[in-house]
Amino acid sequence: MNIETKFFGEVAIKKEDILIFEAGVPGFPDAQKFVLLPLDADLPLVVLQSIEKQELGFILAYPFAFKKEYSFDISEEEKRALQIEQEDDVVAYAIVTLKETFQESTMNLLAPIVINTKKKFGKQIVLQDSELYPLRYPIGLEEGSAK
Amino acid sequence: MLVLSRKTGESIMIGDQIEVKVLSVDGDQVKLGIVAPKSVKVHRSEVFESIQEQNKEALATPSDVLEKLKRN
C-alpha cells in the first residue's frame, strides 16, 4: 500500500511493517499505526511515520550512537503491553528535535520509543529516573562509532 | 473527580495496592508518600506534559530538513 509521508512524499509500504502504538504517542493519542522509514543520510537516524497522518513524521536517532552508556529498564507492565519475550526483540530510539544545525539538535532520552520488532508493537515509554536522562540531550556530543 | 480531605499522616488507598500518604503540609506545598507496585509508574504530571510538548516541538521540523542533513 502507498502512504503520504512528511519527508519523502508518497512511499510504498508493506502491511507487515506496520507498527501498532496502542496508546498513540504522547500528544497524539489517536495515531496508532506507524512505519519506520530509513533515512537516506549518513547518520544513525530513521523516520517514524504515521500511516494515517502525513504531518506526523518524527525523526528518531539510534541513541547509543550518541550516548554509548545509555541504558534503561523496561517495566513488567510495558513488557506485557509490548508483548516482549526476549531482549533481542527490542529496539530503542530517541525522538530528535532538529535545530538549525545538527550539532544544536537534541534527542529525548527521558522518553525513548521502544519497538518490539517481532510482534510489531511500539510505545513511547517514560523512564522512572527522570534525573538521569534529559528530555533534551544535546545530540552534538557524538560518542559512538557512527560517522 | 473524587475529592477527599486528609490530615497529615493520613492516607488513601487506590485499589488494594497503591497507597498515597500525606507526609507534611507546609503552606501551599504538600509532601506525598506513594507506595505502589514496581509495575506502576509514578511521575509528576509535568513530566508527562513536557514529553507531549517535546513531541510537538520535534514535529515542527521542516520537511526540507533532510536535504540539509545530507549536505552536512
Side-chain angles (χ1 to χ4, degrees):
Chain A
M1 62 187 278
N2 284 7
I3 59 164
E4 289 295 333
T5 67
K6 179 174 178 184
F7 298 107
F8 313 107
E10 195 174 314
V11 167
I13 59 158
K14 289 185 206 138
K15 226 175 180 169
E16 57 264 34
D17 290 336
I18 295 171
L19 304 167
I20 303 296
F21 283 64
E22 277 180 338
V25 172
F28 307 93
D30 300 333
Q32 290 167 325
K33 291 178 182 172
F34 289 87
V35 283
L36 285 177
L37 301 172
L39 246 181
D40 188 20
D42 191 16
L43 291 163
L45 303 173
V46 293
V47 172
L48 183 70
Q49 172 69 50
S50 159
I51 70 166
E52 293 142 327
K53 291 192 180 119
Q54 179 178 8
E55 69 277 11
L56 267 189
F58 294 98
I59 294 180
L60 307 183
Y62 183 61
F64 312 102
F66 300 97
K67 188 162 179 61
K68 262 188 243 170
E69 77 277 24
Y70 184 55
S71 71
F72 57 85
D73 290 323
I74 300 173
S75 73
E76 290 303 318
E77 195 186 12
E78 283 149 355
K79 275 184 199 163
R80 270 197 301 276
L82 293 169
Q83 298 188 18
I84 293 167
E85 283 160 3
Q86 46 191 16
E87 207 177 316
D88 290 352
D89 301 343
V90 180
V91 183
Y93 295 98
I95 295 184
V96 175
T97 303
L98 279 176
K99 293 285 158 61
E100 272 304 301
T101 69
F102 193 64
Q103 278 65 33
E104 291 171 76
S105 302
T106 63
M107 63 178 174
N108 180 352
L109 294 184
L110 174 62
I113 298 272
V114 175
I115 291 172
N116 180 343
T117 53
K118 208 161 157 189
K119 296 278 175 67
K120 308 292 176 193
F121 284 109
K123 190 177 195 305
Q124 185 172 21
I125 70 173
V126 184
L127 302 186
Q128 191 73 281
D129 191 352
S130 55
E131 306 296 312
L132 197 56
Y133 294 121
L135 188 63
R136 295 184 188 87
Y137 180 83
I139 212 166
L141 310 171
E142 198 165 331
E143 290 178 342
S145 56
K147 202 171 180 186
Chain B
M1 189 194 289
L2 171 67
V3 179
L4 299 169
S5 293
R6 298 276 69 190
K7 293 196 172 82
T8 304
E10 294 181 338
S11 62
I12 60 161
M13 293 297 297
I14 300 173
D16 49 13
Q17 288 195 300
I18 300 170
E19 182 182 13
V20 181
K21 189 171 184 178
V22 180
L23 299 179
S24 67
V25 182
D26 181 12
D28 65 354
Q29 196 162 44
V30 181
K31 201 169 266 179
L32 300 173
I34 295 150
V35 183
K38 245 192 138 181
S39 62
V40 176
K41 291 212 165 184
V42 180
H43 306 286
R44 292 178 176 87
S45 20
E46 302 95 276
V47 171
F48 201 73
E49 283 158 19
S50 68
I51 288 163
Q52 294 184 347
E53 285 309 307
Q54 190 64 34
N55 282 350
K56 285 175 187 163
E57 203 183 313
L59 271 190
T61 307
S63 53
D64 63 355
V65 79
L66 298 184
E67 290 306 314
K68 220 153 88 186
L69 276 183
K70 279 184 223 169
R71 281 204 304 273
N72 286 346

